[in-house]
Amino acid sequence: GKLSSGEADIAALPTNMAATLYGKTEGKLLKMLAVNTLGVLYIMENGDSIQSAADLRGKTIYTTGQGANPEYVLKYVLEKNGIDPETDVKIEYVSQNEELAALLANGTAQVAMVPEPTVTTILAQKPELRVALNVTEEWDKASGGASKLMMGCVVARSAFVEKNPQAVKAFLSEYKASIEKATGDVDGTAALCETYGIIPKAAVAKQAIPRCNLTYVDGQDMMKQIKGYFDVLFAAKPASIGGKLPDDSLYYLG
């Protein structure tokens, strides 16, 4: 809403939301400047039976995100590993990550797909649980490197980009440096997370940050790598990216 009204010039959004806004405004509202987050989803297990995605066959998997990206991502990885999501596994959807954490903690859920920083919160409460699979890595394997699981991005209003090209370039330079600092100085970043109330405790943030998959990808690399992700979402549910695949004008190429 703030982008549409002009109250915000730059914003961090889920990538599918950026594609949806782009489509709804017929390509006039925004440009995708860079991808800032890969996947933050992990398969957690109470046990040691899952060593690969193929080991999910026959399991009951708890997750949030029915009708949204987590559902489509999970089903894509399953299908690419020869597992029918409708018959070879049972997927139980819950509404909130807090509920997911509780089900893992009390033993109701033996296997679950969980986002960070909920993963770290769960492990702090129940350290005997294990992170069995990194879903971002499983996506890479499933796609054969043809696409990346790119779930977060930074966008800007097209009008702002056109009027302030040097400011956009300066912003992106500093944004890239910020991400490199955040991932390169985990202790310092964790302390800042506590100071500013992003994550309540620095110790939790320190564990969560490496699994948050902060990244910086722009230009042609961004456009090439995210198109395959949008293809998967579109095939699963066209409405998830606004009903149609975005054209190349979505991407800011500098």
Side-chain angles (χ1 to χ4, degrees), residues 73-194:
V73 169
L74 176 59
K75 287 184 174 179
Y76 173 77
V77 170
L78 291 171
E79 288 167 354
K80 287 293 185 178
N81 282 275
I83 300 171
D84 187 328
E86 305 303 324
T87 60
D88 295 331
V89 296
K90 184 177 181 182
I91 302 175
E92 294 281 0
Y93 294 101
V94 300
S95 58
Q96 301 291 333
N97 288 321
E98 292 79 7
E99 184 181 358
L100 200 58
L103 291 170
L104 276 165
N106 67 26
T108 300
Q110 296 295 307
V111 179
M113 186 173 73
V114 186
E116 276 291 5
T118 306
V119 171
T120 298
T121 302
I122 291 170
L123 289 174
Q125 296 172 348
K126 196 166 184 179
E128 63 269 28
L129 293 174
R130 60 182 283 265
V131 176
L133 299 174
N134 178 337
V135 177
T136 302
E137 293 176 358
E138 296 306 318
W139 180 287
D140 287 347
K141 294 174 189 175
S143 73
S147 67
K148 291 282 187 181
L149 181 52
M150 293 177 150
M151 299 186 75
C153 65
V154 59
V155 303
R157 291 192 303 112
S158 298
F160 181 81
V161 174
E162 290 170 10
K163 292 178 182 178
N164 303 278
Q166 294 306 314
V168 171
K169 288 182 179 180
F171 169 81
L172 287 177
S173 177
E174 294 190 14
Y175 197 79
K176 181 179 181 181
S178 176
I179 289 174
E180 290 172 348
K181 179 71 172 176
T183 55
D185 178 16
V186 174
D187 286 338
T189 306
L192 290 170
C193 285
E194 180 174 330

Side-chain angles (χ1 to χ4, degrees), residues 216-230:
Y216 181 89
V217 185
D218 62 10
Q220 293 286 346
D221 288 340
M222 167 183 66
M223 183 169 69
K224 178 182 177 183
Q225 293 173 19
I226 202 170
K227 280 186 173 182
Y229 177 53
F230 285 158

Side-chain angles (χ1 to χ4, degrees), residues 5-123:
S5 69
E7 185 178 345
D9 295 313
I10 299 174
L13 300 175
T15 51
N16 68 307
M17 184 183 293
T20 298
L21 286 172
Y22 179 82
K24 284 183 176 179
T25 59
E26 298 179 343
K28 297 175 182 176
L29 177 62
L30 56 78
K31 294 280 190 183
M32 184 182 293
L33 302 181
V35 168
N36 60 11
T37 313
L38 300 177
V40 295
L41 299 169
Y42 295 84
I43 298 294
M44 297 189 73
E45 180 189 17
N46 187 357
D48 197 38
S49 66
I50 299 170
Q51 307 300 324
S52 70
D55 295 331
L56 292 170
R57 184 183 298 274
K59 303 292 187 182
T60 297
I61 306 167
Y62 286 76
T63 184
T64 54
Q66 185 174 19
N69 288 20
E71 176 185 348
Y72 312 138
V73 169
L74 176 59
K75 287 184 174 179
Y76 173 77
V77 170
L78 291 171
E79 288 167 354
K80 287 293 185 178
N81 282 275
I83 300 171
D84 187 328
E86 305 303 324
T87 60
D88 295 331
V89 296
K90 184 177 181 182
I91 302 175
E92 294 281 0
Y93 294 101
V94 300
S95 58
Q96 301 291 333
N97 288 321
E98 292 79 7
E99 184 181 358
L100 200 58
L103 291 170
L104 276 165
N106 67 26
T108 300
Q110 296 295 307
V111 179
M113 186 173 73
V114 186
E116 276 291 5
T118 306
V119 171
T120 298
T121 302
I122 291 170
L123 289 174

